[in-house]
Amino acid sequence: MAFSGALTLSDLNDFISPSQACIKPVEVAKTSETQGSIKVDTSGSYYEVSQDGLETKLETATISLNDCLACSGCITSAESVLVTLQSQEELYSILKQNKIAIETNDPSTHRTVVVSISPQTRASFAAKYNQTPIQVARKLTWFFKNLGVHSIFDTSFSRDLALLETGREFVDRYKKALAKGVIKPPTMNTDASATGEGSGDMDVDSTAKAPRKRIIRRGAANDEPAVAVETESAMPMLASACPGWICYAEKTHGYMLPYISETKSPQQIMGSMVKDHYGSQLGLKPDQIYHVCVMPCYDKKLEASRSDFYSDLYQTRDVDCVITSTEVEKMFGEQGMTDMTVFGEMDLDLGYNSVVKDSSGHDQVLVGAAGNASGGFLEYVMQYASKELFGVHGVDVDQGLGVQVKTVRNSDFREVTLEMPTGEVLLKFAAAYGFRNIQNLVRKVKTGKSPYHFVEVMACPSGCINGGGQLKQDSSIPLKDWIVQVDQQYRNGVMARKPEENPVLAQLYQEWLGGVDTPKARKQLRTCYHAVEQNLVNPLAVKW
């Protein structure tokens, strides 16, 4: 199999629609090494003409919304430049610069290099190389430190902070939405619905009058209803950890932004921790640290490049470079090491790592929040909100304890409901993966017909474990089976621990952030979103 050359548009500085600039390569089958020619008939159909004159009609390439959003063909020219600056070559450049700084005794050009690795990446390597996640973590630590990296961290640690903040944000939004009439209280006890004492049916009230401060108005263009929505009480609250989803909302559905959680993703919270807290512990300024994240998704590069995560004072980003799982594997070959199973192993660094000693006190064991392989946001927020709002303890979405879990329409759309014994609904959550389900969700929210209080949204079908930057399976393994294998490795040997049980987080809140919900906590753990104006170009005027 081979790929044709990609069609691109040049000199575009504004957002363009995918129909005007598709860069998805078209897969074509080569039947021989010899090349023929292409013929176009009067109807516009394309034919491949072999050297012996045989004509074969070529199929029209079809491109789904998944393809469009995944290829990043609609990002701006400025964004594309930022993304190209994030690769393993940039990491090599910094490491080489450090080596020269040491040889020339010039500390002014030396930067402390930190690599933070996602648990989805660990799972991908574990599945491909038949290792356990802890083996992968130890081998990657060995590999990067041999390159000259100083510290290796685990974004499972920053995910604990992201989960805690998302849970608190949801409970706060719920109470404000209830107080301001955005949602209706439980029908069984309207006086104690948000105090942990009441229970009953809960519906989203699309007709309630919304507050008038900090609002975004859903414009009348494209038949969108002109409804004022306040961020701090907008329901349903939509998870914010997926940059592909955020990019889609900002560039095509700006009226959805008030509904999106303001909590930063685990990647960007780790960026804040490394540049601000870890740096201060080492006596370093943010620009003296070079922070790399290893992620399952190419869209994470775009997230790291957002202006919201850039310090004008120090002229540095919270995450300087994002490399994917596949790019790390490419680095193995570039270093002459193609078989990960023969790598050496090193103990994981103390600090921002989710690891504890086993019962013997000698070996390290990975720990992490329970839930799905996309971070467990639905599972944790349901558990946390059930306890904080209604005094319901022991909820476990994975085990189906205390909640009703069902798959709706397809395997990438789940509903999780907290009900009273009478069957009346207290909380209704959902997980929507893939753009087919996201479109349906957006349509319901837009028309005020969404029945949910919280939705975990992920751009990739099957979620982060199936991210575009993950390692590819052997051709003999069906994709569906491969996803199952990687998902199983995600949990393999990882001890479940609730975020609030992480002993370091309470210390971080006090020593680093000055407490919960302080101005510094909001600055370091929360963010905001920006609707992108679409300056569409007339496709008839485009020069190819």
Side-chain angles (χ1 to χ4, degrees):
M1 306 295 286
F3 290 92
S4 69
L7 292 176
T8 61
L9 293 179
S10 61
D11 299 324
L12 289 170
N13 297 311
D14 299 311
F15 173 77
I16 55 178
S17 67
S19 63
Q20 295 170 32
C22 173
I23 63 171
K24 178 179 171 59
V26 180
E27 189 175 1
V28 296
K30 280 191 175 181
T31 56
S32 66
E33 294 301 323
T34 59
Q35 295 184 351
S37 59
I38 300 296
K39 170 187 174 181
V40 184
D41 65 14
T42 56
S43 67
S45 298
Y46 290 79
Y47 293 83
E48 181 180 18
V49 183
S50 65
Q51 290 186 338
D52 58 8
L54 180 64
E55 296 184 0
T56 304
K57 186 175 182 180
L58 299 177
E59 297 294 330
T60 301
T62 57
I63 300 170
S64 68
L65 184 60
N66 283 350
D67 297 325
C68 291
L69 272 286
C71 82
S72 298
C74 59
I75 66 174
T76 65
S77 297
E79 288 170 341
S80 65
V81 171
L82 292 171
V83 169
T84 57
L85 292 175
Q86 299 190 40
S87 69
Q88 68 269 30
E89 297 302 325
E90 291 301 306
L91 174 58
Y92 286 144
S93 176
I94 294 297
L95 294 173
K96 182 179 179 180
Q97 176 183 302
N98 279 351
K99 185 177 180 180
I100 294 174
I102 293 173
E103 292 174 349
T104 59
N105 194 27
D106 182 12
S108 65
T109 60
H110 186 274
R111 300 173 74 179
T112 296
V113 181
V114 176
V115 172
S116 300
I117 302 173
S118 71
Q120 292 86 1
T121 291
R122 280 199 317 249
S124 191
F125 278 103
K128 182 163 184 177
Y129 291 96
N130 194 29
Q131 304 283 291
T132 64
I134 186 64
Q135 285 178 311
V136 170
R138 292 169 61 89
K139 289 175 184 291
L140 288 177
T141 298
W142 176 86
F143 174 75
F144 280 115
K145 289 205 169 183
N146 273 277
L147 289 180
V149 173
H150 300 93
S151 298
I152 317 294
F153 295 141
D154 175 9
T155 61
S156 295
F157 186 94
S158 55
R159 183 184 59 191
D160 281 350
L161 265 175
L163 291 172
L164 275 174
E165 283 296 307
T166 303
R168 288 170 178 153
E169 182 185 0
F170 174 78
V171 168
D172 186 55
R173 276 204 200 195
Y174 181 95
K175 291 179 178 180
K176 289 178 179 178
L178 195 64
K180 296 174 181 179
V182 177
I183 57 175
K184 295 178 181 178
T187 57
M188 291 184 64
N189 187 338
T190 59
D191 296 327
S193 57
T195 63
E197 301 173 3
S199 60
D201 191 23
M202 184 66 59
D203 300 312
V204 176
D205 183 7
S206 61
T207 63
K209 183 178 180 181
R212 296 187 176 277
K213 64 175 183 176
R214 293 183 60 207
I215 62 175
I216 294 179
R217 184 168 295 277
R218 298 191 293 189
N222 300 322
D223 298 323
E224 296 168 11
V227 178
V229 180
E230 183 188 19
T231 300
E232 62 183 19
S233 60
M235 299 290 271
M237 190 173 96
L238 310 176
S240 59
C242 173
W245 148 241
I246 299 300
C247 175
Y248 176 59
E250 287 186 321
K251 294 184 175 181
T252 63
H253 298 293
Y255 58 86
M256 293 293 293
L257 301 185
Y259 299 95
I260 300 177
S261 166
E262 294 182 332
T263 300
K264 290 181 182 179
S265 70
Q267 170 182 291
Q268 294 309 134
I269 288 181
M270 180 63 84
S272 297
M273 292 166 58
V274 167
K275 289 295 182 84
D276 192 75
H277 181 253
Y278 184 65
S280 65
Q281 288 185 318
L282 298 180
L284 299 174
K285 297 177 181 178
D287 58 350
Q288 293 176 304
I289 298 176
Y290 189 79
H291 182 208
V292 180
C293 281
V294 182
M295 289 286 146
C297 173
Y298 285 98
D299 286 337
K300 286 292 183 180
K301 297 173 184 281
L302 195 58
E303 179 183 32
S305 299
R306 292 175 67 92
S307 59
D308 306 275
F309 308 133
Y310 181 80
S311 169
D312 290 320
L313 177 62
Y314 293 104
Q315 297 187 342
T316 186
R317 301 185 184 281
D318 295 340
V319 178
D320 297 285
C321 180
V322 174
I323 55 179
T324 62
S325 308
T326 54
E327 288 171 319
V328 171
E329 188 178 46
K330 184 179 179 181
M331 292 176 69
F332 294 169
E334 292 169 345
Q335 299 301 314
M337 299 179 286
T338 58
D339 185 3
M340 188 184 199
T341 61
V342 300
F343 284 13
E345 295 186 15
M346 293 182 68
D347 282 346
L348 305 188
D349 290 331
L350 299 178
Y352 306 145
N353 265 311
S354 293
V355 64
V356 296
K357 292 290 186 180
D358 66 2
S359 57
S360 69
H362 300 293
D363 295 328
Q364 294 179 317
V365 177
L366 293 171
V367 294
N372 64 68
S374 293
F377 286 87
L378 182 152
E379 290 86 349
Y380 180 74
V381 176
M382 173 61 81
Q383 179 188 78
Y384 182 84
S386 299
K387 178 181 64 176
E388 295 296 319
L389 294 173
F390 303 103
V392 178
H393 296 263
V395 168
D396 188 325
V397 175
D398 284 341
Q399 301 296 325
L401 298 177
V403 291
Q404 300 294 323
V405 182
K406 66 177 181 178
T407 301
V408 184
R409 289 189 296 275
N410 56 74
S411 60
D412 279 327
F413 197 99
R414 290 186 303 148
E415 287 184 350
V416 180
T417 308
L418 177 68
E419 299 179 354
M420 291 298 294
T422 58
E424 292 176 298
V425 175
L426 293 177
L427 291 172
K428 191 168 187 176
F429 287 15
Y433 295 173
F435 284 102
R436 174 177 56 173
N437 291 317
I438 290 176
Q439 283 182 304
N440 290 330
L441 171 67
V442 167
R443 192 177 303 114
K444 286 186 176 182
V445 174
K446 172 181 174 180
T447 58
K449 296 180 180 179
S450 170
Y452 308 114
H453 298 96
F454 178 87
V455 185
E456 180 181 279
V457 186
M458 298 290 162
C460 292
S462 301
C464 297
I465 207 71
N466 186 38
Q470 292 283 70
L471 305 185
K472 306 307 176 187
Q473 78 277 21
D474 186 271
S475 58
S476 63
I477 304 175
L479 177 60
K480 185 176 181 180
D481 294 342
W482 175 248
I483 293 173
V484 171
Q485 290 182 31
V486 180
D487 186 70
Q488 290 173 343
Q489 285 286 14
Y490 179 83
R491 298 170 177 79
N492 183 18
V494 180
M495 185 172 68
R497 180 182 69 185
K498 296 178 181 178
E500 54 266 38
E501 295 173 350
N502 185 334
V504 183
L505 293 194
Q507 180 180 348
L508 279 175
Y509 269 109
Q510 293 303 317
E511 295 182 0
W512 175 40
L513 302 172
V516 176
D517 201 29
T518 60
K520 185 170 183 178
R522 293 192 64 83
K523 176 183 177 182
Q524 299 293 348
L525 305 180
R526 304 287 178 95
T527 186
C528 59
Y529 311 101
H530 319 280
V532 177
E533 182 179 353
Q534 299 185 17
N535 298 317
L536 297 180
V537 179
N538 182 351
L540 297 178
V542 172
K543 294 182 179 180
W544 293 87

